Amino acid sequence: MAHTDQTGRRVLRREIAGTIGLLTDEHDFRAMRRYRSFTFDDHAAYLHQVEALLRSRASQGAHTSVALFDPEEYADFCSATGLDPDAAASRTRFTAELAASGPTVPYEGQPLADLLPDLVDEAVRQATWEYASTLLARLGNCATCGEDLGRAAFTRATRLLVRILETAPPGNRHLVCSVSGSPETLVSALYADEDIDGTPHIDEAETLEFTSVLALGLATHSPGGLVMRISTPGGPDRIHGWRLRGYGLEPLTAGEVFDAYCTDADSGDLISPESNVDYCAPPDLGDDHLPPGHHH
């Protein structure tokens, strides 16, 4: 009976998904060393042990996701929940919260050095979306018609993104939207790889973040731009661009796209153009005029 119980527990252990809260950089690692219950004293050795644990769990058929462990957020969490921050159980509780609501990346056997940038990118993506969404929500309602300004801008941005993807030439598309504002410029990227049937395949979380940033630029009439790079096997990359203008997108000429890519943003010096790249006017988005009536 005891042997059967042990076998059953081993089988069940493979059914449990786990999350590891990872301290990705030296600064965060040093911040956690103030807790006596955190016994690691070398960041490189810590990362090595994490990678060994991930490989061990994967070899047993267990699924593990990795979350970004932020010491400041952890301290705030312990303060809000009344937990002792100097306890392994508290770190476990915080990691469980990260698994439920924070950015995570699944471990699929890749080296930890490859997983870390993906995890940081995911964290930045979620933070950007949350920030843009918060600003959109604060816009309130239109004083004239009562419509929710943030929701209206998001609908408008969604329509523009759909038209861009529908009218784009065939290929894998990489879009970047930047919106200048205070206190910082928001930048969001979206990859739309083309399936065999020509349908663009896009990540839902990336799309949500990208659309929110574009919507914020439209709603606030902030300076900004959107560029799209299209790659096809055996051919040159094509780069198209628009500037945010009013409540819409204004196409850039081929010369303006060239100038934008071949000028250093800080010094203003010229940069050599990339090889095997065509700088092009964007495709016509069609009849994108706003309907008659009140507009924000």
Side-chain angles (χ1 to χ4, degrees), residues 237-256:
D237 285 4
R238 296 167 55 93
I239 298 179
H240 310 275
W242 296 262
R243 65 171 58 89
L244 272 64
R245 181 61 58 87
Y247 205 50
L249 295 173
E250 179 180 276
L252 299 177
T253 65
E256 288 173 324

Side-chain angles (χ1 to χ4, degrees), residues 118-139:
D118 292 340
L119 180 58
V120 172
D121 288 347
E122 187 65 28
V124 170
R125 181 181 302 117
Q126 179 161 326
T128 301
W129 168 72
E130 290 176 349
Y131 182 67
S133 298
T134 298
L135 294 183
L136 286 171
R138 289 177 181 173
L139 295 176

Side-chain angles (χ1 to χ4, degrees), residues 30-46:
R30 287 198 302 269
M32 290 302 295
R33 289 195 60 199
R34 69 177 181 265
Y35 302 121
R36 294 179 62 184
S37 61
F38 186 79
T39 58
F40 292 96
D41 57 10
D42 181 80
H43 188 232
Y46 160 81

Side-chain angles (χ1 to χ4, degrees), residues 258-264 269-277 279:
F258 178 88
D259 289 343
Y261 265 81
C262 300
T263 303
D264 186 279
D269 296 336
L270 293 179
I271 302 172
S272 299
E274 295 182 61
S275 61
N276 204 36
V277 170
Y279 303 92

Side-chain angles (χ1 to χ4, degrees), residues 155-224:
T155 300
R156 172 89 171 137
T158 300
R159 181 172 181 269
L160 287 169
L161 177 58
V162 169
R163 288 298 299 147
I164 288 172
L165 294 177
E166 286 178 344
T167 58
N172 294 329
R173 299 106 183 207
H174 177 208
L175 292 83
V176 176
C177 179
S178 60
V179 174
S180 300
S182 179
E184 58 185 331
T185 296
L186 292 182
V187 180
S188 178
L190 176 65
Y191 292 89
D193 293 337
E194 197 171 68
D195 291 337
I196 296 176
D197 62 358
T199 304
H201 174 74
I202 55 178
D203 179 82
E204 183 177 346
E206 282 187 9
T207 304
L208 184 60
E209 179 216 5
F210 187 92
T211 309
S212 298
V213 171
L214 176 57
L216 183 63
L218 296 174
T220 57
H221 293 194
S222 299

Side-chain angles (χ1 to χ4, degrees), residues 67-100:
L68 191 67
F69 196 105
D70 185 287
E72 291 186 8
E73 291 182 4
Y74 171 65
D76 292 341
F77 172 80
C78 290
S79 177
T81 55
L83 295 173
D84 177 11
D86 196 0
S90 300
R91 293 193 288 275
T92 302
R93 283 276 300 276
F94 178 64
T95 301
E97 291 287 329
L98 293 177

